[in-house]
Amino acid sequence: MPGTSFFHQARNNAWSNHRLLGACQKLTATELRARRASLMPSILQTLNHSLIVDWYYLDALIKGGRGQDCFANQMPFITIETFGAAQRNADVRLMAFCEKLDDKDVVRDVTLVRPDDVMVSESISAVLSHLFVHQTHHRGQIHAMLCETTQSPPQLDEYHLESGAEFRKSDFAVLGWNVAGLSAAMVYKDNHE
């Protein structure tokens, strides 16, 4: 079922973001802001960019009306702590959206507001597929940038297969998820409690 598939992708996306954020939270502010060889000049800028694009596409999917305003501030978060809370919030919202999708929803068109107020229509499935590819692309860049820091990059090339449940149990516990029977209604636990 396409709708179910997108929920599983959204859940895996949130898990990957969690693992990457865990590594980034161990970096110093200097390491997060250091100029590096990548599309965006630093780890923190790349994290911010990826989240802004999440906001943009999720806004289009839920018809939030922000459009290009999502890009007004290219660095909305200057600390990893405030960034982490915002990323977790976006991940939960995306999982909740995907959890409600059915086969009819995924072929429905949504309107994207491009620069200069150009309106384009895309299917929900195309928008979600693009969003997940975009996230994967930038996580890969950050993964490579982490190799130049004191923190080893986390393993991000896994999917949440049942055969690997034992290996992800601790991550899912921090996220507040059960290993089986996950629901987007479950919320993240705050790592700083």
Side-chain angles (χ1 to χ4, degrees):
M1 294 234 225
T4 302
S5 172
F6 284 117
F7 171 68
H8 288 293
Q9 289 181 60
R11 179 175 65 177
N12 209 79
N13 182 69
W15 178 38
S16 294
N17 285 339
H18 165 76
R19 295 188 88 180
L20 187 64
L21 182 60
C24 291
Q25 286 174 325
K26 295 174 183 173
L27 298 173
T28 65
T30 300
E31 287 178 305
L32 283 165
R33 291 186 178 97
R35 189 158 190 80
R36 302 188 189 281
S38 189
L39 180 63
M40 303 290 159
S42 74
I43 291 172
L44 191 58
Q45 284 176 294
T46 305
L47 289 167
N48 271 278
H49 168 76
S50 189
L51 177 58
I52 290 166
V53 172
D54 276 3
W55 289 344
Y56 171 73
Y57 287 111
L58 186 55
D59 179 72
L61 291 166
I62 65 169
K63 299 179 182 177
R66 288 188 63 202
Q68 288 293 307
D69 184 54
C70 293
F71 299 101
N73 181 354
Q74 293 295 307
M75 275 295 284
F77 302 101
I78 59 171
T79 69
I80 195 68
E81 293 78 20
T82 56
F83 168 82
Q87 182 65 67
R88 285 189 291 272
N89 178 271
D91 289 341
V92 168
R93 291 177 56 223
L94 182 59
M95 285 190 308
F97 176 82
C98 290
E99 187 175 41
K100 295 175 185 168
L101 292 176
D102 63 27
D103 292 350
K104 292 177 187 170
D105 291 326
V106 296
V107 297
R108 186 170 39 88
D109 280 349
V110 295
T111 301
L112 301 175
V113 181
R114 295 299 192 189
D116 299 322
D117 292 326
V118 173
M119 308 287 210
V120 297
S121 291
E122 296 285 353
S123 69
I124 286 176
S125 63
V127 170
L128 286 171
S129 296
H130 177 77
L131 187 151
F132 295 131
V133 167
H134 184 266
Q135 275 279 346
T136 301
H137 170 69
H138 287 298
R139 278 193 301 263
Q141 290 175 331
I142 296 166
H143 192 272
M145 288 189 278
L146 281 169
C147 292
E148 301 173 341
T149 71
T150 57
Q151 180 59 42
S152 297
Q155 185 171 355
L156 297 175
D157 62 342
E158 295 178 333
Y159 197 75
H160 52 273
L161 301 173
E162 291 306 314
S163 60
E166 187 61 33
F167 302 109
R168 66 176 189 268
K169 189 163 50 172
S170 63
D171 283 341
F172 280 19
V174 170
L175 291 168
W177 300 347
N178 293 322
V179 174
L182 294 175
S183 168
M186 296 178 180
V187 295
Y188 285 90
K189 290 182 181 175
D190 187 348
N191 289 338
H192 304 290
E193 288 182 337

